[in-house]
Amino acid sequence: MQLLGKLIIKSKERIIQFLNNENTGRISSIDKEGFPQIIPMNFVFLNNAVYMHSHIKGEKIENIKRNSKVGFEVDKNLEFLPSYFSDPEDASLADTLYISVVIKGEAILVEDKEEKVLALNGLMEKYQPEGQYKPMRKDMDVLDATAVIKIMPKEMKGKYKIGQNMSKDEKIELAQKIKNRNSQTSRDTLEIMGFSIESDKLVMKEDVEW
């Protein structure tokens, strides 16, 4: 329980910031046979709700009409930690640094055209920040051919693992191993952990607290 507490993202602002920075979320709804259906989706977090756009017909739409209770998940796999970081022979010690957010909530199909426009323009601003498009308006016919799904969170929890459960010396040692392994994600991971590389040397900037 003590370790689990250290993995919890305590700041709601951090959770929202993470959601706004990630491109793919996964919505889980319940199909007519009672099985969960999980689908990756583009999304935007606005006014304390998750919005997605969809075709007006499809299994997830029917699932939501039948049962509005859904799950939504976003994660970022930061860095795989090889087992040999801890022991050259024990493969069970392999680990991963990550950030994740899980939402339980109620989903509705938005009918109000002003809210639809808000959501669709929010999606465009997130995924096409360079502009070069005409913003949606509530008098556009395309709104009738586009479904907007809104998830209102009942519970929103975040977890992260970036070495915050380690002592300062242990965290520095791990960061040095990540630097030496030099994976494609190592520099971004070190930045999130609170390190930078200056003149090929590892520099600890701050002890990151989420």
Side-chain angles (χ1 to χ4, degrees):
M1 293 296 292
Q2 186 177 6
L3 175 59
L4 180 61
K6 291 182 178 179
L7 301 183
I8 300 300
I9 300 177
K10 301 177 179 65
S11 167
K12 184 177 179 180
E13 288 72 24
R14 280 280 201 173
I15 290 177
I16 293 173
Q17 180 186 46
F18 173 71
L19 292 173
N20 287 335
N21 288 338
E22 295 305 306
N23 290 329
T24 304
R26 297 165 188 83
I27 182 173
S28 175
S29 57
I30 304 299
D31 70 15
K32 61 183 178 180
E33 303 295 334
F35 291 101
Q37 181 197 39
I38 302 173
I39 298 177
M41 300 281 288
N42 289 345
F43 72 97
V44 64
F45 191 86
L46 288 172
N47 299 333
N48 202 39
V50 177
Y51 289 95
M52 294 162 280
H53 79 287
S54 170
H55 193 275
I56 58 174
K57 294 182 179 179
E59 187 175 3
K60 68 179 177 295
I61 298 296
E62 295 306 312
N63 292 345
I64 290 169
K65 288 179 179 179
R66 188 170 48 249
N67 184 348
S68 64
K69 292 182 178 180
V70 299
F72 187 75
E73 187 271 350
V74 182
D75 63 80
K76 185 178 183 67
N77 190 327
L78 298 176
E79 196 77 27
F80 175 73
L81 306 180
S83 59
Y84 59 77
F85 275 14
S86 301
D87 188 305
E89 296 181 356
D90 187 353
S92 70
L93 297 176
D95 202 353
T96 301
L97 301 183
Y98 66 89
I99 305 170
S100 71
V101 171
V102 175
I103 293 173
K104 295 179 182 179
E106 299 282 337
I108 64 168
L109 302 176
V110 177
E111 300 294 342
D112 181 80
K113 289 193 174 182
E114 288 189 3
E115 189 173 8
K116 269 193 170 184
V117 167
L118 174 73
L120 294 172
N121 282 334
L123 284 161
M124 288 302 297
E125 289 169 12
K126 177 177 179 178
Y127 290 93
Q128 194 172 316
E130 69 273 22
Q132 302 186 45
Y133 63 89
K134 290 184 179 180
M136 301 290 292
R137 303 187 314 272
K138 64 180 181 179
D139 60 346
M140 289 181 167
D141 292 338
V142 70
L143 292 181
D144 295 326
T146 304
V148 171
I149 301 168
K150 176 182 181 180
I151 300 176
M152 295 167 289
K154 301 295 183 183
E155 180 180 288
M156 183 164 64
K157 294 183 177 180
K159 289 176 65 178
Y160 74 123
K161 191 173 185 180
I162 60 171
Q164 77 274 22
N165 54 310
M166 299 177 169
S167 69
K168 181 177 180 180
D169 289 343
E170 289 172 335
K171 189 173 181 180
I172 292 172
E173 181 181 357
L174 175 61
Q176 188 64 54
K177 289 177 179 178
I178 292 172
K179 174 184 176 296
N180 293 343
R181 188 170 186 243
N182 195 29
S183 70
Q184 292 182 344
T185 56
S186 61
R187 284 183 175 267
D188 288 341
T189 299
L190 291 171
E191 181 74 21
I192 291 171
M193 290 175 67
F195 293 88
S196 63
I197 299 175
E198 300 176 11
S199 301
D200 202 39
K201 292 184 179 179
L202 193 67
V203 177
M204 189 173 192
K205 299 186 298 181
E206 58 180 322
D207 193 9
V208 180
E209 175 63 43
W210 284 61

